Amino acid sequence: MPRHLLAGFSALSLLVLLGSAQAGDALNLPTPEQRQAFRRPNVVPSPADNPTTPEKVALGRALFFDRRLSASGQLSCAACHNPSLSWQDGLPTGIGHMGARLPRRTPSVLDIAWTEPLFWDGRAATLEEQAKGPLSGAAEMNMAPARLQAQVRADPAYVRSFKAAFPGQPIDVDTIAKALAAFERTVVSGQAPFDRWLAGDPTAISPAAQRGFVLFTGKASCAQCHSSWRFTDDGFRDIGLADADPGRGKIVPGLPILDHAFKTPSLRNVAERAPYMHDGSLATLEAVVDHYDHEFVRRPSLAVQMKLLGLTREERADLVDFMRTLSSDDPPAAPTKRPTG
Amino acid sequence: MMAPMTKRLIIAAALTACACGAAFAAAVVTVDQKGIAFSVTSLTVPKGGFVRFTNSDVTAHNITITGRGGMVNGGLQQPGQVFKAPFMQPGVYQVTCGIHPKMKLSVVVK
């Protein structure tokens, strides 16, 4: 056989083998670059002006679960950010003061130490700033700052805890927000089957999920935005949901592509965090994949990453199987009671 | 191939009046955007200098500059495009990406 034909045959054989590996049962291993890109960090960050301490965390935990921090006395932070529901509420959109329905879905606190800016529209630059929003928001906890401070200062247990956490500083909205932020930074997702697979255990996730990862990082283009170990680049985009909410466009006017744009959420524990999207309009991961495949609204602000994907039914199922491997096995955090005097 | 996208910036205070004649001799500092990050977190340019923002990412960015009471919105910057911003007045300016606000750069103009 002529040499050039032999070479061609060899190349063809290699392509066939590679093709088999892509469609095979256990050979879709992550590349070294992917291992690096999706590897979990070892250290939880905290800002220089509010370093995390055990005293702040203990105080913040007590505040987080304290319903007295709301005007109605019925809502704590945990009422919406329920640790048993992956630090969300399981509802399409949140419920605020006196049962009022809020316009957007409750974001999870999970892995929030790495998240900025905060809120679906990114209007808070830091977690400390974010913590003040729902406390005083008329539609949410509706607690005037003066009343909030008086409420906390009247509790001897809180007075002691603040003295330990913030020596020499007053009990005010700023230190309350700092304590809440310090506690929230301890809410970190656990190791998931995907992490074990990434670390080299080829059996940690199913062949279908492995094929889903190949789609996630390839044909389906999910990883263009859902990148990093948290599966988000913290960017803002219009993904073509039909509601009229202007999202980040209201925060950063003058940039048309931010109309209807919302924060790209983390996908850690995503299977436990239905319903989905900023408006809670999609009930299942299958519906989410269908949305990205073909069901989005076309308009000028639509993100450039949104394209007709043409995924087969099997490919869509593989993507869902992959996303289910991002859920950690650790049990939900137990609620903590406020300190007693 | 890079597609130059020098945009005229309109802003009160600091960044207006880009004198084209002065631009020929002006200092130009290049800052790349890659991995959803600027290549540097801070830099100093002389008054009248330019910062040339390149985009080596696979995703679009948006240069937004604030400082001295004003704001410049550089519009959508696709991968491979270049955005050139003049800094005409001394001061400290914050640069971020409207799409990826985690990207932060401080520019000192002297």
Side-chain angles (χ1 to χ4, degrees):
Chain A
M1 185 179 291
R3 185 175 296 174
H4 71 278
L5 287 181
L6 272 174
F9 178 77
S10 299
L12 182 63
S13 302
L14 182 61
L15 283 172
V16 169
L17 284 171
L18 286 172
S20 300
Q22 290 293 311
D25 284 344
L27 294 176
N28 295 311
L29 297 174
T31 66
E33 292 77 18
Q34 287 170 336
R35 289 183 198 278
Q36 179 69 28
F38 291 100
R39 182 177 296 150
R40 297 174 63 91
N42 296 320
V43 177
V44 181
S46 62
D49 62 352
N50 189 26
T52 301
T53 66
E55 293 80 10
K56 288 180 194 174
V57 172
L59 171 59
R61 180 184 293 115
L63 291 166
F64 192 87
F65 290 94
D66 193 339
R67 292 185 297 178
R68 297 175 302 165
L69 269 55
S70 61
S72 66
Q74 298 300 311
L75 293 177
S76 64
C77 302
C80 294
H81 301 286
N82 186 334
S84 299
L85 297 170
S86 279
W87 303 88
Q88 294 181 245
D89 54 19
L91 300 169
T93 62
I95 293 178
H97 183 62
M98 305 303 288
R101 179 67 74 178
L102 301 174
R104 294 173 185 162
R105 187 167 70 103
T106 301
S108 178
V109 177
L110 203 65
D111 300 326
I112 207 160
W114 289 267
T115 303
E116 69 170 54
L118 284 302
F119 291 120
W120 279 109
D121 55 15
R123 64 185 182 276
T126 67
L127 191 50
E128 284 75 8
E129 182 184 342
Q130 185 279 331
K132 298 175 189 175
L135 284 170
S136 60
E140 298 187 54
M141 296 168 81
N142 194 30
M143 196 68 159
R147 184 178 170 191
L148 173 66
Q149 290 168 179
Q151 181 83 48
V152 175
R153 288 170 184 162
D155 187 323
Y158 273 141
V159 172
R160 285 195 297 275
S161 296
F162 270 88
K163 194 173 180 180
F166 300 99
Q169 297 182 56
I171 298 174
D172 59 18
V173 172
D174 288 336
T175 47
I176 290 170
K178 281 185 172 181
L180 285 167
F183 165 64
E184 290 175 343
R185 287 193 176 97
T186 68
V187 179
V188 179
S189 62
Q191 288 267 341
F194 171 76
D195 299 306
R196 294 194 289 277
W197 179 68
L198 199 71
D201 178 356
T203 64
I205 67 175
S206 70
Q210 293 175 31
R211 293 194 301 270
F213 179 71
V214 172
L215 290 163
F216 189 90
T217 54
K219 178 180 177 180
S221 302
C222 313
Q224 283 194 29
C225 306
H226 290 285
S227 55
S228 89
W229 75 276
R230 288 185 299 120
F231 296 88
T232 175
D233 63 359
D234 289 308
F236 293 81
R237 297 172 181 87
D238 174 11
I239 57 165
L241 289 160
D243 72 332
D245 192 333
R248 189 157 178 78
K250 189 175 179 181
I251 308 302
V252 185
L255 189 61
I257 60 159
L258 291 181
D259 289 342
H260 310 292
F262 294 87
K263 175 183 274 290
T264 302
S266 166
L267 299 185
R268 286 281 168 180
N269 287 23
V270 69
E272 281 70 50
R273 297 196 286 110
Y276 302 105
M277 308 306 187
H278 70 273
D279 57 0
S281 59
L282 300 180
T284 64
L285 287 175
E286 286 79 2
V288 170
V289 173
D290 286 348
H291 172 84
Y292 283 108
D293 183 67
H294 63 274
E295 291 189 351
F296 48 88
V297 174
R298 282 73 166 172
R299 56 192 171 202
S301 56
L302 188 70
V304 294
Q305 293 87 355
M306 298 295 295
K307 294 171 182 166
L308 287 173
L309 296 176
L311 298 171
T312 66
R313 188 168 59 183
E314 290 73 20
E315 287 174 328
R316 282 179 268 169
D318 288 347
L319 272 172
V320 171
D321 279 355
F322 163 67
M323 287 190 278
R324 294 190 190 286
T325 71
L326 305 180
S327 294
S328 53
D329 302 326
D330 51 331
T336 303
K337 293 179 180 176
R338 68 182 178 84
T340 54
Chain B
M1 187 172 182
M2 293 279 190
M5 190 186 67
T6 304
K7 291 205 172 188
R8 186 172 181 185
L9 306 177
I10 302 173
I11 182 175
L15 303 177
T16 50
C18 169
C20 294
F24 287 113
V28 178
V29 179
T30 296
V31 174
D32 192 27
Q33 299 166 93
K34 189 174 183 181
I36 319 293
F38 290 114
S39 54
V40 293
T41 56
S42 64
L43 60 88
T44 300
V45 297
K47 175 185 171 185
F50 285 73
V51 177
R52 180 176 171 271
F53 293 97
T54 56
N55 181 4
S56 299
D57 261 324
V58 294
T59 189
H61 287 301
N62 157 249
I63 296 296
T64 300
I65 306 170
T66 54
R68 295 177 62 93
M71 185 181 90
V72 166
N73 183 341
L76 191 64
Q77 184 182 9
Q78 296 289 1
Q81 290 186 324
V82 176
F83 176 71
K84 207 170 168 185
F87 288 83
M88 308 307 289
Q89 297 294 330
V92 179
Y93 300 87
Q94 302 304 320
V95 184
T96 186
C97 169
I99 302 167
H100 307 96
K102 270 189 147 177
M103 298 170 61
K104 291 173 185 168
L105 165 67
S106 177
V107 178
V108 178
V109 181
K110 291 184 175 175

